[in-house]
Amino acid sequence: MADFDTLKERLEQHLARHGLKHTRQREAILRVFAGTREHLSLDELLRRVQREMPGVGYATVYRTMKLFTAAGVAHERRFGDGQTRYEPVAVDDEHHDHLICVRCGRIYEFDDALIERRQVEIARERGMRIVSHRHDIWVICCGGEE
Amino acid sequence: MADFDTLKERLEQHLARHGLKHTRQREAILRVFAGTREHLSLDELLRRVQREMPGVGYATVYRTMKLFTAAGVAHERRFGDGQTRYEPVAVDDEHHDHLICVRCGRIYEFDDALIERRQVEIARERGMRIVSHRHDIWVICCGGEE
DNA sequence: GTCCGTGCAAATAGTTTGCAGGACC
DNA sequence: GGTCCTGCAAACTATTTGCACGGAC
């Protein structure tokens, strides 16, 4: 679970720097969002936020997650199921990639120094500079049963 | 460029095995599709097919590409720009991953034995079996200019 | 008071599907 | 001739935007 206070501070800085405002909705969404390690879709996030603040609209959550992404508080992920998911940025901002179980839908994280290093070499060999990457591995994690 | 005859044969086998039919449209779409190494979106593909067979509809190309994917003739790719792209399966069926230039949009391919091997280890260490994967690296390929 | 944010509803974009007529074997 | 295929148009899904009102500073 990401550290709420750290994310909040990061968000406040972004708001201040861009002349944006602190609102009850943004606070509530951040609290819900920071309180999970799952990769939540907007619908799931909306549902959870509405539990502690009914009346919040989809568009607000949508725009807030774009804001969080710009503020370096959230990562946007698309795993190809047609849903955009959001994940709190780790406090140390360490990168990681994903293992997705095609049976149960669970999402695991991995980070491998060897692969990271090799990527940089591959780009360098071609005279390219890496901007970002994603490395998703679809697996069966549970031996066949849910 | 993928070998048209090889892809055609692979498609014919799939059609025969599933009681499906050979049509002029499918032939035309395969010809256009096999004749490129680019990663074409449906719109681009449709436009090209219509040049040699006007009147072909979007839905036909759409369904045909799903068919090609099932037949092992095309790979479906999503690079996060909101467009599904299709790429001919290489004759030797070798896997590869992608480098995408965020400036000019060009898509390059790479294949790295070290990374491939490492992935398998990562999954095995966790008792998972790999189903598939994608590894996309966004880069600046052109030193800043288009 | 001003500007930004919210919630609603409508617009958009890409994809998917139902159906009537046409093509394939 | 029966079945599959096509092209059109409509439905769907997720996302994005316009706007009038409300809230933050």
Side-chain angles (χ1 to χ4, degrees):
Chain A
M1 183 179 307
D3 182 335
F4 173 73
D5 293 326
T6 307
L7 294 187
K8 176 162 178 176
E9 193 187 313
R10 208 174 287 172
L11 177 60
E12 300 292 357
Q13 278 182 17
H14 181 87
L15 295 178
R17 222 192 312 274
H18 292 81
L20 305 176
K21 290 169 182 170
H22 180 103
T23 65
R24 291 178 307 116
Q25 286 88 339
R26 286 172 180 171
E27 173 96 14
I29 294 169
L30 183 64
R31 196 187 336 277
V32 169
F33 178 61
T36 176
R37 261 215 84 82
E38 293 162 77
H39 296 68
L40 298 178
S41 66
L42 282 177
D43 281 326
E44 293 161 341
L45 206 42
L46 176 63
R47 222 171 309 126
R48 294 192 189 197
V49 172
Q50 286 182 332
R51 282 209 288 264
E52 61 172 79
M53 186 185 269
V56 173
Y58 180 94
T60 299
V61 177
Y62 166 78
R63 283 185 278 229
T64 299
M65 294 319 294
K66 291 287 180 200
L67 170 69
F68 283 8
T69 303
V73 163
H75 282 304
E76 235 179 51
R77 308 282 186 202
R78 262 175 278 258
F79 296 118
D81 63 346
Q83 293 259 280
T84 300
R85 293 169 184 284
Y86 291 89
E87 167 190 359
V89 170
V91 170
D92 56 9
D93 218 347
E94 68 178 2
H95 168 82
H96 63 256
D97 291 296
H98 298 89
L99 296 148
I100 305 111
C101 180
V102 298
R103 281 273 165 67
C104 68
R106 267 191 282 260
I107 296 167
Y108 304 86
E109 299 172 355
F110 75 92
D111 176 37
D112 189 76
L114 191 62
I115 292 179
E116 297 290 320
R117 231 178 298 127
R118 195 72 190 99
Q119 284 184 106
V120 175
E121 286 170 27
I122 288 168
R124 186 155 44 213
E125 281 165 15
R126 299 167 182 242
M128 301 170 175
R129 191 165 65 73
I130 292 183
V131 173
S132 65
H133 77 269
R134 85 178 158 195
H135 190 170
D136 301 324
I137 306 179
W138 283 273
V139 298
I140 292 173
C141 77
C142 35
E145 333 78 38
E146 280 298 274
Chain B
M1 181 182 304
D3 181 337
F4 174 72
D5 294 325
T6 306
L7 295 187
K8 178 164 177 174
E9 191 187 315
R10 209 175 285 173
L11 177 59
E12 299 293 357
Q13 277 182 19
H14 180 87
L15 295 178
R17 221 192 312 275
H18 293 82
L20 305 176
K21 290 169 183 171
H22 181 102
T23 65
R24 290 177 310 115
Q25 286 88 339
R26 286 174 181 171
E27 173 97 15
I29 294 168
L30 184 64
R31 197 188 336 278
V32 169
F33 177 62
T36 179
R37 262 215 84 82
E38 294 163 75
H39 296 67
L40 299 178
S41 67
L42 282 178
D43 282 325
E44 293 160 342
L45 205 42
L46 175 64
R47 223 173 307 127
R48 295 191 188 199
V49 172
Q50 286 181 331
R51 282 211 288 265
E52 62 171 79
M53 186 185 269
V56 173
Y58 181 93
T60 299
V61 176
Y62 166 79
R63 282 185 280 227
T64 299
M65 294 318 295
K66 291 287 179 200
L67 170 69
F68 283 8
T69 303
V73 162
H75 282 306
E76 235 178 51
R77 308 281 186 204
R78 263 174 278 255
F79 295 118
D81 63 346
Q83 293 257 281
T84 300
R85 293 169 185 282
Y86 291 90
E87 166 190 0
V89 171
V91 170
D92 56 9
D93 218 348
E94 67 179 2
H95 169 82
H96 63 254
D97 289 297
H98 298 90
L99 296 147
I100 305 111
C101 180
V102 298
R103 281 272 165 69
C104 68
R106 267 191 283 260
I107 297 166
Y108 304 86
E109 298 172 356
F110 76 92
D111 175 37
D112 189 78
L114 190 64
I115 292 180
E116 296 291 318
R117 229 177 300 127
R118 195 71 191 99
Q119 283 184 109
V120 175
E121 286 170 26
I122 288 168
R124 186 157 39 214
E125 280 166 15
R126 298 166 183 243
M128 300 170 176
R129 193 166 64 74
I130 292 183
V131 173
S132 64
H133 76 270
R134 84 177 159 194
H135 190 171
D136 301 324
I137 307 179
W138 283 273
V139 297
I140 292 173
C141 76
C142 35
E145 334 80 35
E146 281 296 276

PDB file of all heavy atoms in Angstrom, chain B residues 115-137:
ATOM      1  N   ILE B 115      16.425 -11.570 -22.609  1.00  0.00           N
ATOM      2  CA  ILE B 115      15.170 -11.149 -21.967  1.00  0.00           C
ATOM      3  C   ILE B 115      14.137 -12.266 -22.003  1.00  0.00           C
ATOM      4  O   ILE B 115      13.462 -12.542 -21.014  1.00  0.00           O
ATOM      5  CB  ILE B 115      14.621  -9.874 -22.653  1.00  0.00           C
ATOM      6  CG1 ILE B 115      15.557  -8.690 -22.373  1.00  0.00           C
ATOM      7  CG2 ILE B 115      13.206  -9.567 -22.157  1.00  0.00           C
ATOM      8  CD1 ILE B 115      15.128  -7.378 -23.000  1.00  0.00           C
ATOM      9  N   GLU B 116      14.045 -12.922 -23.146  1.00  0.00           N
ATOM     10  CA  GLU B 116      13.080 -14.010 -23.273  1.00  0.00           C
ATOM     11  C   GLU B 116      13.332 -15.083 -22.207  1.00  0.00           C
ATOM     12  O   GLU B 116      12.412 -15.556 -21.541  1.00  0.00           O
ATOM     13  CB  GLU B 116      13.171 -14.660 -24.658  1.00  0.00           C
ATOM     14  CG  GLU B 116      12.814 -13.734 -25.821  1.00  0.00           C
ATOM     15  CD  GLU B 116      11.342 -13.360 -25.874  1.00  0.00           C
ATOM     16  OE1 GLU B 116      10.489 -14.240 -25.657  1.00  0.00           O
ATOM     17  OE2 GLU B 116      11.032 -12.174 -26.126  1.00  0.00           O
ATOM     18  N   ARG B 117      14.616 -15.423 -22.057  1.00  0.00           N
ATOM     19  CA  ARG B 117      14.980 -16.469 -21.105  1.00  0.00           C
ATOM     20  C   ARG B 117      14.659 -16.037 -19.667  1.00  0.00           C
ATOM     21  O   ARG B 117      14.114 -16.794 -18.875  1.00  0.00           O
ATOM     22  CB  ARG B 117      16.473 -16.792 -21.245  1.00  0.00           C
ATOM     23  CG  ARG B 117      16.756 -18.270 -21.359  1.00  0.00           C
ATOM     24  CD  ARG B 117      18.237 -18.537 -21.561  1.00  0.00           C
ATOM     25  NE  ARG B 117      18.779 -17.916 -22.765  1.00  0.00           N
ATOM     26  CZ  ARG B 117      19.849 -17.119 -22.791  1.00  0.00           C
ATOM     27  NH1 ARG B 117      20.493 -16.819 -21.677  1.00  0.00           N
ATOM     28  NH2 ARG B 117      20.269 -16.604 -23.928  1.00  0.00           N
ATOM     29  N   ARG B 118      14.990 -14.791 -19.394  1.00  0.00           N
ATOM     30  CA  ARG B 118      14.786 -14.253 -18.042  1.00  0.00           C
ATOM     31  C   ARG B 118      13.305 -14.270 -17.656  1.00  0.00           C
ATOM     32  O   ARG B 118      12.953 -14.541 -16.508  1.00  0.00           O
ATOM     33  CB  ARG B 118      15.336 -12.819 -17.985  1.00  0.00           C
ATOM     34  CG  ARG B 118      15.525 -12.282 -16.612  1.00  0.00           C
ATOM     35  CD  ARG B 118      16.671 -12.935 -15.865  1.00  0.00           C
ATOM     36  NE  ARG B 118      16.600 -12.534 -14.456  1.00  0.00           N
ATOM     37  CZ  ARG B 118      16.087 -13.275 -13.488  1.00  0.00           C
ATOM     38  NH1 ARG B 118      15.666 -14.506 -13.752  1.00  0.00           N
ATOM     39  NH2 ARG B 118      16.022 -12.829 -12.257  1.00  0.00           N
ATOM     40  N   GLN B 119      12.464 -13.959 -18.608  1.00  0.00           N
ATOM     41  CA  GLN B 119      11.022 -13.970 -18.361  1.00  0.00           C
ATOM     42  C   GLN B 119      10.542 -15.327 -17.880  1.00  0.00           C
ATOM     43  O   GLN B 119       9.737 -15.425 -16.962  1.00  0.00           O
ATOM     44  CB  GLN B 119      10.271 -13.704 -19.669  1.00  0.00           C
ATOM     45  CG  GLN B 119      10.243 -12.311 -20.104  1.00  0.00           C
ATOM     46  CD  GLN B 119       9.395 -12.187 -21.345  1.00  0.00           C
ATOM     47  OE1 GLN B 119       8.316 -11.649 -21.289  1.00  0.00           O
ATOM     48  NE2 GLN B 119       9.875 -12.702 -22.449  1.00  0.00           N
ATOM     49  N   VAL B 120      11.030 -16.343 -18.571  1.00  0.00           N
ATOM     50  CA  VAL B 120      10.622 -17.704 -18.230  1.00  0.00           C
ATOM     51  C   VAL B 120      11.040 -18.018 -16.795  1.00  0.00           C
ATOM     52  O   VAL B 120      10.272 -18.590 -16.014  1.00  0.00           O
ATOM     53  CB  VAL B 120      11.246 -18.722 -19.209  1.00  0.00           C
ATOM     54  CG1 VAL B 120      10.921 -20.145 -18.775  1.00  0.00           C
ATOM     55  CG2 VAL B 120      10.760 -18.464 -20.624  1.00  0.00           C
ATOM     56  N   GLU B 121      12.250 -17.588 -16.448  1.00  0.00           N
ATOM     57  CA  GLU B 121      12.735 -17.814 -15.083  1.00  0.00           C
ATOM     58  C   GLU B 121      11.855 -17.097 -14.061  1.00  0.00           C
ATOM     59  O   GLU B 121      11.504 -17.658 -13.019  1.00  0.00           O
ATOM     60  CB  GLU B 121      14.177 -17.302 -14.941  1.00  0.00           C
ATOM     61  CG  GLU B 121      15.219 -18.192 -15.630  1.00  0.00           C
ATOM     62  CD  GLU B 121      16.592 -17.525 -15.662  1.00  0.00           C
ATOM     63  OE1 GLU B 121      16.877 -16.666 -14.781  1.00  0.00           O
ATOM     64  OE2 GLU B 121      17.363 -17.849 -16.571  1.00  0.00           O
ATOM     65  N   ILE B 122      11.520 -15.843 -14.385  1.00  0.00           N
ATOM     66  CA  ILE B 122      10.710 -15.053 -13.455  1.00  0.00           C
ATOM     67  C   ILE B 122       9.377 -15.751 -13.180  1.00  0.00           C
ATOM     68  O   ILE B 122       8.926 -15.846 -12.036  1.00  0.00           O
ATOM     69  CB  ILE B 122      10.458 -13.642 -14.037  1.00  0.00           C
ATOM     70  CG1 ILE B 122      11.762 -12.831 -13.988  1.00  0.00           C
ATOM     71  CG2 ILE B 122       9.350 -12.925 -13.281  1.00  0.00           C
ATOM     72  CD1 ILE B 122      11.714 -11.541 -14.794  1.00  0.00           C
ATOM     73  N   ALA B 123       8.779 -16.263 -14.237  1.00  0.00           N
ATOM     74  CA  ALA B 123       7.499 -16.956 -14.067  1.00  0.00           C
ATOM     75  C   ALA B 123       7.688 -18.256 -13.297  1.00  0.00           C
ATOM     76  O   ALA B 123       6.930 -18.561 -12.375  1.00  0.00           O
ATOM     77  CB  ALA B 123       6.864 -17.223 -15.431  1.00  0.00           C
ATOM     78  N   ARG B 124       8.741 -18.983 -13.657  1.00  0.00           N
ATOM     79  CA  ARG B 124       8.957 -20.282 -13.017  1.00  0.00           C
ATOM     80  C   ARG B 124       9.204 -20.141 -11.517  1.00  0.00           C
ATOM     81  O   ARG B 124       8.673 -20.890 -10.709  1.00  0.00           O
ATOM     82  CB  ARG B 124      10.114 -21.027 -13.679  1.00  0.00           C
ATOM     83  CG  ARG B 124      10.250 -22.446 -13.125  1.00  0.00           C
ATOM     84  CD  ARG B 124      10.971 -23.378 -14.076  1.00  0.00           C
ATOM     85  NE  ARG B 124      12.079 -22.710 -14.748  1.00  0.00           N
ATOM     86  CZ  ARG B 124      12.461 -22.973 -16.002  1.00  0.00           C
ATOM     87  NH1 ARG B 124      11.830 -23.882 -16.708  1.00  0.00           N
ATOM     88  NH2 ARG B 124      13.492 -22.341 -16.523  1.00  0.00           N
ATOM     89  N   GLU B 125       9.999 -19.116 -11.169  1.00  0.00           N
ATOM     90  CA  GLU B 125      10.281 -18.871  -9.742  1.00  0.00           C
ATOM     91  C   GLU B 125       9.007 -18.716  -8.927  1.00  0.00           C
ATOM     92  O   GLU B 125       8.982 -18.943  -7.736  1.00  0.00           O
ATOM     93  CB  GLU B 125      11.099 -17.577  -9.588  1.00  0.00           C
ATOM     94  CG  GLU B 125      12.584 -17.739  -9.875  1.00  0.00           C
ATOM     95  CD  GLU B 125      13.283 -16.389 -10.050  1.00  0.00           C
ATOM     96  OE1 GLU B 125      12.669 -15.365  -9.673  1.00  0.00           O
ATOM     97  OE2 GLU B 125      14.419 -16.371 -10.570  1.00  0.00           O
ATOM     98  N   ARG B 126       7.949 -18.244  -9.582  1.00  0.00           N
ATOM     99  CA  ARG B 126       6.702 -18.001  -8.870  1.00  0.00           C
ATOM    100  C   ARG B 126       5.688 -19.115  -9.105  1.00  0.00           C
ATOM    101  O   ARG B 126       4.512 -18.981  -8.727  1.00  0.00           O
ATOM    102  CB  ARG B 126       6.086 -16.686  -9.348  1.00  0.00           C
ATOM    103  CG  ARG B 126       6.958 -15.475  -9.063  1.00  0.00           C
ATOM    104  CD  ARG B 126       6.478 -14.286  -9.827  1.00  0.00           C
ATOM    105  NE  ARG B 126       7.336 -13.121  -9.617  1.00  0.00           N
ATOM    106  CZ  ARG B 126       6.923 -11.986  -9.038  1.00  0.00           C
ATOM    107  NH1 ARG B 126       5.687 -11.863  -8.625  1.00  0.00           N
ATOM    108  NH2 ARG B 126       7.755 -10.990  -8.878  1.00  0.00           N
ATOM    109  N   GLY B 127       6.131 -20.142  -9.815  1.00  0.00           N
ATOM    110  CA  GLY B 127       5.233 -21.258 -10.083  1.00  0.00           C
ATOM    111  C   GLY B 127       4.146 -20.923 -11.094  1.00  0.00           C
ATOM    112  O   GLY B 127       3.060 -21.500 -11.077  1.00  0.00           O
ATOM    113  N   MET B 128       4.451 -19.988 -11.972  1.00  0.00           N
ATOM    114  CA  MET B 128       3.479 -19.609 -12.991  1.00  0.00           C
ATOM    115  C   MET B 128       3.913 -20.145 -14.351  1.00  0.00           C
ATOM    116  O   MET B 128       5.098 -20.348 -14.604  1.00  0.00           O
ATOM    117  CB  MET B 128       3.386 -18.082 -13.085  1.00  0.00           C
ATOM    118  CG  MET B 128       2.962 -17.411 -11.792  1.00  0.00           C
ATOM    119  SD  MET B 128       3.170 -15.615 -11.924  1.00  0.00           S
ATOM    120  CE  MET B 128       2.485 -15.075 -10.352  1.00  0.00           C
ATOM    121  N   ARG B 129       2.940 -20.297 -15.221  1.00  0.00           N
ATOM    122  CA  ARG B 129       3.235 -20.722 -16.585  1.00  0.00           C
ATOM    123  C   ARG B 129       2.925 -19.555 -17.519  1.00  0.00           C
ATOM    124  O   ARG B 129       1.851 -18.964 -17.437  1.00  0.00           O
ATOM    125  CB  ARG B 129       2.372 -21.932 -16.951  1.00  0.00           C
ATOM    126  CG  ARG B 129       2.794 -22.643 -18.211  1.00  0.00           C
ATOM    127  CD  ARG B 129       2.116 -24.014 -18.301  1.00  0.00           C
ATOM    128  NE  ARG B 129       0.673 -23.909 -18.421  1.00  0.00           N
ATOM    129  CZ  ARG B 129       0.037 -23.531 -19.550  1.00  0.00           C
ATOM    130  NH1 ARG B 129       0.734 -23.198 -20.620  1.00  0.00           N
ATOM    131  NH2 ARG B 129      -1.266 -23.478 -19.597  1.00  0.00           N
ATOM    132  N   ILE B 130       3.855 -19.221 -18.400  1.00  0.00           N
ATOM    133  CA  ILE B 130       3.649 -18.089 -19.302  1.00  0.00           C
ATOM    134  C   ILE B 130       2.703 -18.464 -20.435  1.00  0.00           C
ATOM    135  O   ILE B 130       2.834 -19.513 -21.056  1.00  0.00           O
ATOM    136  CB  ILE B 130       4.989 -17.611 -19.900  1.00  0.00           C
ATOM    137  CG1 ILE B 130       5.857 -16.999 -18.793  1.00  0.00           C
ATOM    138  CG2 ILE B 130       4.753 -16.597 -21.015  1.00  0.00           C
ATOM    139  CD1 ILE B 130       7.174 -16.432 -19.270  1.00  0.00           C
ATOM    140  N   VAL B 131       1.739 -17.605 -20.659  1.00  0.00           N
ATOM    141  CA  VAL B 131       0.807 -17.789 -21.764  1.00  0.00           C
ATOM    142  C   VAL B 131       1.260 -16.943 -22.955  1.00  0.00           C
ATOM    143  O   VAL B 131       1.295 -17.406 -24.087  1.00  0.00           O
ATOM    144  CB  VAL B 131      -0.628 -17.385 -21.350  1.00  0.00           C
ATOM    145  CG1 VAL B 131      -1.565 -17.420 -22.539  1.00  0.00           C
ATOM    146  CG2 VAL B 131      -1.113 -18.298 -20.236  1.00  0.00           C
ATOM    147  N   SER B 132       1.581 -15.698 -22.683  1.00  0.00           N
ATOM    148  CA  SER B 132       2.090 -14.811 -23.725  1.00  0.00           C
ATOM    149  C   SER B 132       2.672 -13.588 -23.041  1.00  0.00           C
ATOM    150  O   SER B 132       2.599 -13.467 -21.824  1.00  0.00           O
ATOM    151  CB  SER B 132       0.967 -14.386 -24.666  1.00  0.00           C
ATOM    152  OG  SER B 132       0.008 -13.630 -23.958  1.00  0.00           O
ATOM    153  N   HIS B 133       3.221 -12.713 -23.818  1.00  0.00           N
ATOM    154  CA  HIS B 133       3.722 -11.487 -23.221  1.00  0.00           C
ATOM    155  C   HIS B 133       3.809 -10.391 -24.255  1.00  0.00           C
ATOM    156  O   HIS B 133       3.675 -10.646 -25.453  1.00  0.00           O
ATOM    157  CB  HIS B 133       5.104 -11.722 -22.597  1.00  0.00           C
ATOM    158  CG  HIS B 133       6.221 -11.800 -23.593  1.00  0.00           C
ATOM    159  ND1 HIS B 133       6.624 -12.977 -24.184  1.00  0.00           N
ATOM    160  CD2 HIS B 133       7.006 -10.838 -24.122  1.00  0.00           C
ATOM    161  CE1 HIS B 133       7.615 -12.736 -25.018  1.00  0.00           C
ATOM    162  NE2 HIS B 133       7.860 -11.435 -25.014  1.00  0.00           N
ATOM    163  N   ARG B 134       3.972  -9.176 -23.763  1.00  0.00           N
ATOM    164  CA  ARG B 134       4.277  -8.078 -24.676  1.00  0.00           C
ATOM    165  C   ARG B 134       5.274  -7.180 -23.971  1.00  0.00           C
ATOM    166  O   ARG B 134       5.199  -6.976 -22.750  1.00  0.00           O
ATOM    167  CB  ARG B 134       3.008  -7.311 -25.068  1.00  0.00           C
ATOM    168  CG  ARG B 134       2.616  -6.265 -24.070  1.00  0.00           C
ATOM    169  CD  ARG B 134       1.409  -5.480 -24.496  1.00  0.00           C
ATOM    170  NE  ARG B 134       0.846  -4.887 -23.268  1.00  0.00           N
ATOM    171  CZ  ARG B 134      -0.346  -4.341 -23.171  1.00  0.00           C
ATOM    172  NH1 ARG B 134      -1.143  -4.340 -24.211  1.00  0.00           N
ATOM    173  NH2 ARG B 134      -0.755  -3.823 -22.033  1.00  0.00           N
ATOM    174  N   HIS B 135       6.199  -6.700 -24.725  1.00  0.00           N
ATOM    175  CA  HIS B 135       7.241  -5.859 -24.162  1.00  0.00           C
ATOM    176  C   HIS B 135       7.408  -4.696 -25.126  1.00  0.00           C
ATOM    177  O   HIS B 135       7.946  -4.852 -26.212  1.00  0.00           O
ATOM    178  CB  HIS B 135       8.532  -6.680 -24.045  1.00  0.00           C
ATOM    179  CG  HIS B 135       9.613  -6.000 -23.274  1.00  0.00           C
ATOM    180  ND1 HIS B 135      10.775  -6.619 -22.904  1.00  0.00           N
ATOM    181  CD2 HIS B 135       9.709  -4.742 -22.789  1.00  0.00           C
ATOM    182  CE1 HIS B 135      11.548  -5.778 -22.233  1.00  0.00           C
ATOM    183  NE2 HIS B 135      10.915  -4.624 -22.165  1.00  0.00           N
ATOM    184  N   ASP B 136       6.891  -3.554 -24.753  1.00  0.00           N
ATOM    185  CA  ASP B 136       6.932  -2.379 -25.612  1.00  0.00           C
ATOM    186  C   ASP B 136       7.845  -1.341 -24.979  1.00  0.00           C
ATOM    187  O   ASP B 136       7.738  -1.066 -23.785  1.00  0.00           O
ATOM    188  CB  ASP B 136       5.531  -1.770 -25.780  1.00  0.00           C
ATOM    189  CG  ASP B 136       4.559  -2.766 -26.391  1.00  0.00           C
ATOM    190  OD1 ASP B 136       4.980  -3.557 -27.248  1.00  0.00           O
ATOM    191  OD2 ASP B 136       3.371  -2.759 -25.997  1.00  0.00           O
ATOM    192  N   ILE B 137       8.721  -0.792 -25.776  1.00  0.00           N
ATOM    193  CA  ILE B 137       9.621   0.255 -25.301  1.00  0.00           C
ATOM    194  C   ILE B 137       9.364   1.509 -26.134  1.00  0.00           C
ATOM    195  O   ILE B 137       9.488   1.480 -27.356  1.00  0.00           O
ATOM    196  CB  ILE B 137      11.098  -0.167 -25.434  1.00  0.00           C
ATOM    197  CG1 ILE B 137      11.326  -1.529 -24.754  1.00  0.00           C
ATOM    198  CG2 ILE B 137      12.013   0.894 -24.831  1.00  0.00           C
ATOM    199  CD1 ILE B 137      12.768  -2.036 -24.856  1.00  0.00           C
TER     200      ILE B 137
END
